[in-house]
Amino acid sequence: MKNYLYHIQLFFCRFAVVLLAFSISRLIFYLFNIDYFDNINNLELIKIFVSGIRFDISALFYFNLLFILLSLIPGNFKNKRPYQTIVFSIFLIVNSVLLATNFIDTKFFDFQHARLTFNIFSSVWLGEDFVTLLPQFIFDFWYLIVIWIISIILLFKFYPRFKYNTYQTQPLKIKALFYQSILFIVLLLVGLVGGRGGLQLKPLRVIHATKYTSSKNIPLVLNSPFTIMKTIGSKSFEPNKYFTSEQLDSIYSPLQKPANQIQKKSPNIVLIIMESFSKEYIGALTGKKGYTPFLDSLITKSLVFPNSFANGKRSIEAMPSIISGLPALTEEAYITSSFSTNTIHSIPNQLKKEGYYTAFFHGGKNGTMGFDQFAQIAGFDNYFGMNEYPTTYDYDGRWGVYDEPYLNYFGNTLNRFQEPFFASVFTLTSHHPYKIPEKYKGKFPKGTLNIHESIGYTDYSLRQFFESIKDKNWYNNTLFILTADHTAQAESPFYKNKIGNYAIPLLFFHPNDSTFMGQSIVISQHTDIFPTIMEYLKSNQPYVCFGNSLLNDSAAHFTVNYMNGIYQLFEDGYLLQFDGNKPVGFFDIKNDSLLQQNLISNFPNINVFENKLKAIIQSYHGRIATNNLTIGPAN
């Protein structure tokens, strides 16, 4: 029995080593992203680190299950050198991989502000783009590889070794085998409790992190292996039912049923989606130094919505939100989910009924982020990707075609379209690694963030695009809509918090229509673009869309988004944060833009906001689960 107790002691020492390694990786994660987690005092930081151990144990138990079984199984054969070598090899390989995901997230978090999930193994992640960009990421973030190698060396060095020739290796007697087996079962049960995170009714989930800290700091409590594990086989969500059908429709409905209108308009519509253009980069919107002189000038001639927000944090989430009015309210992106083939309403399939030709342009490789497949589902007549671009000369070597030549190509192609047309273009140069053409090096301010120079280049490319088309016959009969897919790196505290982190530009420019002039302070979101277009055209078509026309002053304007298990509703100057069961945060944005004073216990009408958000969640989840996103045929 003494022999077996020694193996138990060895196991706990070894497990403690990797548990400590996880805590160190959390510290590294924190230090690299300290500007994001900038409101944590020392006491709260200690609480977060201690609480995080619960999530570490859960992930380590399941991923190390083979190591655990081999370490604790009864029998003296465990004393043999070959056996211990196998146990050590499994320990080192498994935990090196687990630590690698934490270190990858240390930098990737800067782009998405959420821990990795199982969709990193999807075709979107591991496709051709991944292979192309991997060398650049290794070059840019080589220091993380060095840290990871050091962590492997430390695991190797501090792994408690078995003391050979100290214990016997002969077979166990029946009595000893019986006692060891009982203890083995007990230890596995204890481990199972640790794996499920305790004795609570449901196993530990991502959402449980809200118990220990604010929603903004949730990623620091978690670890990447845990979030990956918890999203394996996920269907993105479990539909919640908060209300009966009658109650639901009385609180919120995405059905858009315009009144019969006459004198329809048929302007051309050009929708420009700018990669990673945070509001923070645009001086005309912040009143501070910016990197977009052309956009600054265009804003003075446009209808601008300074309080505009993205519905998601990824490009793959932006396209359904902008094109089809579908907010990103699930763990898995709509494009890669099992619901991606649902019948949907969208800008192109609705405009085709009005006699429009429709096309989508993206200078990236065909297949990137599933844009081409979604464009087909959304009803675009044609998709123009890098395969359709006439030359390889303008390829940036990583993502696709540089913005300036691609926007020039976009403009030239528009000249051939029959009017009226709807065309959307998605830029790409202002995406990591933020490479601009050699001939423009030194032309644009480098700023203080890696992205700033490429923002200046894309802004310049937009200027060249507008200069090239302003004399075309179709120009004066065209509504231009400019927005960003999501935000990127941030400097100011507001743009790092859970509301400013979604702040993007949104402007409507028409060279020959004074309707689109001035500023509107209403809250707007990606999903508002679709209904705004439909109202401007005075379309009589009914459709499903989780937004409201920005030309309708009587509509309730709001923003919804979801990340790290927390839903958010921003409306009437207040931000509600909701974990799917209960409110966890409520803030007065006008007087507390940095979200430092949680009013959850001091605001009497919070249930109004809660019911609104619940209704949006239930309606969205219920409709995508039952393929009920249309009113009659969508195409």
Side-chain angles (χ1 to χ4, degrees):
M1 196 65 179
K2 183 178 179 181
N3 186 348
Y4 190 62
L5 292 176
Y6 173 64
H7 279 287
I8 293 174
Q9 176 187 340
L10 266 182
F11 164 74
F12 279 110
C13 289
R14 292 166 177 172
F15 196 83
V17 168
V18 72
L19 201 58
L20 177 61
F22 260 53
S23 291
I24 293 173
S25 71
R26 178 175 285 106
L27 177 61
I28 293 171
F29 176 85
Y30 170 67
L31 293 175
F32 271 84
N33 298 283
I34 195 167
D35 287 341
Y36 179 84
F37 305 109
D38 56 0
N39 292 317
I40 305 178
N41 58 45
N42 291 337
L43 186 61
E44 184 181 1
L45 188 62
I46 292 172
K47 178 184 176 183
I48 287 173
F49 272 65
V50 172
S51 303
I53 293 174
R54 184 184 182 194
F55 296 86
D56 296 345
I57 290 174
S58 178
L60 289 172
F61 172 79
Y62 289 113
F63 283 111
N64 281 280
L65 194 54
L66 179 59
F67 164 72
I68 293 171
L69 291 174
L70 293 178
S71 297
L72 298 178
I73 190 171
N76 290 335
F77 54 85
K78 296 193 300 296
N79 300 345
K80 295 182 179 179
R81 189 179 297 273
Y83 188 90
Q84 286 297 319
T85 300
I86 292 173
V87 172
F88 169 67
S89 299
I90 293 172
F91 171 89
L92 192 63
I93 292 171
V94 169
N95 293 300
S96 295
V97 172
L98 297 183
L99 286 170
T101 63
N102 277 337
F103 292 132
I104 289 171
D105 239 357
T106 294
K107 194 59 190 177
F108 183 73
F109 180 82
D110 191 33
F111 301 99
Q112 187 171 308
H113 294 151
R115 286 281 188 172
L116 293 173
T117 59
F118 190 69
N119 67 9
I120 63 168
F121 300 107
S122 69
S123 58
V124 172
W125 265 84
L126 298 181
E128 189 177 353
D129 289 338
F130 173 82
V131 175
T132 302
L133 291 173
L134 183 60
Q136 182 66 39
F137 277 99
I138 292 175
F139 178 80
D140 288 345
F141 309 126
W142 58 269
Y143 47 86
L144 291 177
I145 297 176
V146 172
I147 294 173
W148 178 56
I149 292 173
I150 291 173
S151 72
I152 296 174
I153 294 172
L154 292 177
L155 283 180
F156 179 88
K157 181 176 179 61
F158 290 100
Y159 178 84
R161 264 65 174 186
F162 179 76
K163 297 179 180 178
Y164 297 104
N165 302 320
T166 304
Y167 295 97
Q168 300 176 345
T169 58
Q170 64 265 30
L172 289 177
K173 295 181 180 180
I174 297 298
K175 184 177 180 180
L177 180 62
F178 173 76
Y179 286 126
Q180 288 189 23
S181 298
I182 294 295
L183 189 53
F184 175 66
I185 293 171
V186 171
L187 289 171
L188 287 184
L189 291 175
V190 171
L192 183 60
V193 171
R196 71 187 307 277
L199 296 172
Q200 70 280 350
L201 184 61
K202 292 185 177 181
L204 196 64
R205 295 181 296 169
V206 171
I207 197 65
H208 286 123
T210 60
K211 178 181 178 181
Y212 304 106
T213 188
S214 66
S215 59
K216 183 179 181 181
N217 297 331
I218 284 175
L220 193 53
V221 177
L222 300 170
N223 61 76
S224 302
F226 180 84
T227 54
I228 291 171
M229 176 181 71
K230 287 298 177 178
T231 52
I232 293 175
S234 170
K235 291 185 178 181
S236 303
F237 67 95
E238 295 180 6
N240 293 303
K241 187 170 183 180
Y242 304 108
F243 309 105
T244 65
S245 298
E246 294 76 16
Q247 291 173 324
L248 179 63
D249 290 339
S250 68
I251 301 171
Y252 176 79
S253 173
L255 302 182
Q256 309 282 338
K257 297 180 179 180
N260 288 332
Q261 303 179 75
I262 57 175
Q263 297 181 336
K264 289 187 177 182
K265 298 180 180 180
S266 298
N268 305 307
I269 299 171
V270 173
L271 171 61
I272 301 174
I273 306 171
M274 303 174 292
E275 173 68 53
S276 301
F277 262 63
S278 303
K279 173 184 173 182
E280 186 183 24
Y281 308 150
I282 303 171
L285 296 179
T286 65
K288 300 179 181 179
K289 177 185 177 181
Y291 301 88
T292 58
F294 171 70
L295 279 182
D296 290 349
S297 65
L298 190 64
I299 283 171
T300 65
K301 309 169 188 175
S302 306
L303 176 59
V304 184
F305 294 86
N307 296 314
S308 185
F309 301 88
N311 290 114
K313 278 291 295 175
R314 297 182 292 169
S315 301
I316 199 172
E317 295 169 333
M319 191 171 173
S321 297
I322 296 171
I323 301 299
S324 297
L326 301 176
L329 298 181
T330 57
E331 288 289 348
E332 186 177 7
Y334 182 86
I335 289 178
T336 57
S337 74
S338 59
F339 310 110
S340 61
T341 56
N342 279 5
T343 304
I344 57 175
H345 287 302
S346 66
I347 300 172
N349 66 33
Q350 294 300 91
L351 293 191
K352 284 166 69 175
K353 298 173 186 176
E354 305 284 353
Y356 278 71
Y357 168 77
T358 62
F360 188 87
F361 292 75
H362 184 240
K365 299 173 184 176
N366 295 52
T368 293
M369 290 177 281
F371 284 174
D372 51 353
Q373 292 94 337
F374 183 78
Q376 182 176 0
I377 292 170
F380 280 99
D381 290 313
N382 287 107
Y383 179 88
F384 296 84
M386 199 172 84
N387 289 358
E388 288 71 35
Y389 191 73
T391 178
T392 59
Y393 178 77
D394 300 313
Y395 177 50
D396 67 5
R398 293 172 177 82
W399 274 113
V401 183
Y402 284 114
D403 284 346
E404 184 191 14
Y406 194 78
L407 286 172
N408 181 60
Y409 161 75
F410 175 56
N412 290 335
T413 308
L414 293 182
N415 294 331
R416 302 197 299 266
F417 289 168
Q418 181 178 342
E419 300 181 62
F421 59 78
F422 166 64
S424 180
V425 62
F426 203 130
T427 68
L428 60 70
T429 302
S430 48
H431 188 292
H432 184 273
Y434 314 122
K435 181 184 177 184
I436 68 172
E438 287 294 327
K439 65 179 180 179
Y440 289 121
K441 292 293 177 67
K443 178 178 176 64
F444 310 106
K446 289 188 175 294
T448 54
L449 296 174
N450 293 339
I451 194 173
H452 285 157
E453 184 180 26
S454 64
I455 292 292
Y457 166 74
T458 298
D459 180 75
Y460 170 80
S461 302
L462 288 169
R463 182 189 296 276
Q464 299 303 104
F465 165 71
F466 276 91
E467 282 291 324
S468 71
I469 63 172
K470 67 181 182 180
D471 295 325
K472 304 303 179 184
N473 292 333
W474 52 267
Y475 177 76
N476 284 322
N477 186 38
T478 301
L479 171 62
F480 296 88
I481 306 169
L482 290 85
T483 190
D485 57 343
H486 55 74
T487 61
Q489 298 167 305
E491 288 183 288
S492 304
F494 172 74
Y495 295 101
K496 295 177 183 179
N497 71 28
K498 295 291 284 185
I499 184 66
N501 200 227
Y502 291 91
I504 55 167
L506 175 59
L507 57 129
F508 295 77
F509 168 69
H510 195 302
N512 198 32
D513 190 337
S514 60
T515 300
F516 298 101
M517 284 289 291
Q519 287 198 359
S520 173
I521 62 171
V522 302
I523 297 170
S524 58
Q525 58 184 333
H526 277 157
T527 57
D528 293 335
I529 295 174
F530 180 6
T532 301
I533 291 173
M534 301 308 293
E535 176 155 337
Y536 180 59
L537 300 185
K538 297 187 182 298
S539 171
N540 295 325
Q541 301 176 47
Y543 55 97
V544 172
C545 172
F546 290 80
N548 291 299
S549 169
L550 295 172
L551 301 178
N552 183 353
D553 294 332
S554 63
H557 296 290
F558 60 88
T559 291
V560 291
N561 41 55
Y562 170 82
M563 185 186 292
N564 292 322
I566 300 297
Y567 301 92
Q568 293 193 147
L569 171 68
F570 183 29
E571 186 175 20
D572 293 336
Y574 292 96
L575 175 68
L576 171 69
Q577 297 175 335
F578 178 71
D579 69 4
N581 296 302
K582 64 183 184 305
V584 295
F586 193 76
F587 304 90
D588 179 353
I589 302 300
K590 182 177 180 181
N591 298 307
D592 181 25
S593 63
L594 298 184
L595 312 184
Q596 294 180 332
Q597 186 176 1
N598 194 338
L599 304 176
I600 195 167
S601 302
N602 304 315
F603 194 83
N605 296 323
I606 193 173
N607 63 303
V608 175
F609 293 85
E610 180 182 352
N611 287 340
K612 174 77 169 280
L613 184 52
K614 284 180 176 178
I616 294 171
I617 295 168
Q618 180 175 333
S619 183
Y620 179 71
H621 286 181
R623 285 179 177 276
I624 65 172
T626 58
N627 197 4
N628 187 27
L629 289 169
T630 62
I631 305 173
N635 298 299

